[in-house]
Amino acid sequence: MKESIKDIAARLARPIAEELDLELVDTEYKKEGKNWYLRVFVDSPSGVHLEDCGRVSERLSEQLDDLDPVQEAYYLEVSSPGAERPLNNEADIRRSVGKNVYVTTYEPVEGEKAFEGKLSDFKDGELLIFTKQKQKERTVHVPYSKVAKARLAIIF
């Protein structure tokens, strides 16, 4: 099976990010309007600065030029995933215990498919999410195997 452009970019960007004490969070390659965009998202516990993005972009661009995996013209963008960063794997989930999250599931859990609240724990393959809806407070046990998408959330 041929490696996707998104996967090639991730494979090339990961060691660059790690060398700069950054974490590769995600990559995406998609068409918007007439233009193609290759986006690389990096993060760090101390935050990501414009200079960090510039260094990753410059080094990744050189490697992509050498490898030349993309046939069409595209824009390379390197940025922080932002305050509502995606949680793409179990390690991301573990690091997010104690933070506010938004989680959607493939099938209903306790009659719902979307949960927003504080991730109070992640153990035995389950996310424990403390939610408040109006005056009702509860902890929902969401099996990790049923998680469709998860991200950090800003709750006002």
Side-chain angles (χ1 to χ4, degrees), residues 22-36:
L22 300 168
E23 173 195 0
L24 177 65
V25 175
D26 202 5
T27 59
E28 68 179 25
Y29 183 66
K30 62 196 251 184
K31 189 171 187 178
E32 294 178 2
K34 297 184 294 183
N35 300 314
W36 283 92

Side-chain angles (χ1 to χ4, degrees), residues 25 40-44 47-49 53 78-83 85:
V25 175
V40 176
F41 300 97
V42 294
D43 205 358
S44 165
V48 176
H49 302 282
C53 295
V78 178
S79 67
S80 162
R85 82 170 260 179

Side-chain angles (χ1 to χ4, degrees), residues 85-89 92-93 96 101 119 144 149-152:
R85 82 170 260 179
L87 305 175
N88 295 322
N89 53 49
D92 287 348
I93 300 284
S96 300
V101 297
L119 179 62
Y144 181 72
K149 287 192 176 192
R151 64 170 169 77
L152 293 179

Side-chain angles (χ1 to χ4, degrees), residues 1 10 22 34 47 51 70 73 78 81 84 86 89 97 124-125 131 140 151 156:
M1 186 166 102
L22 300 168
K34 297 184 294 183
E51 297 81 21
V70 185
V78 178
E84 294 189 334
N89 53 49
V97 169
D124 301 326
T131 65
V140 182
R151 64 170 169 77
F156 296 96

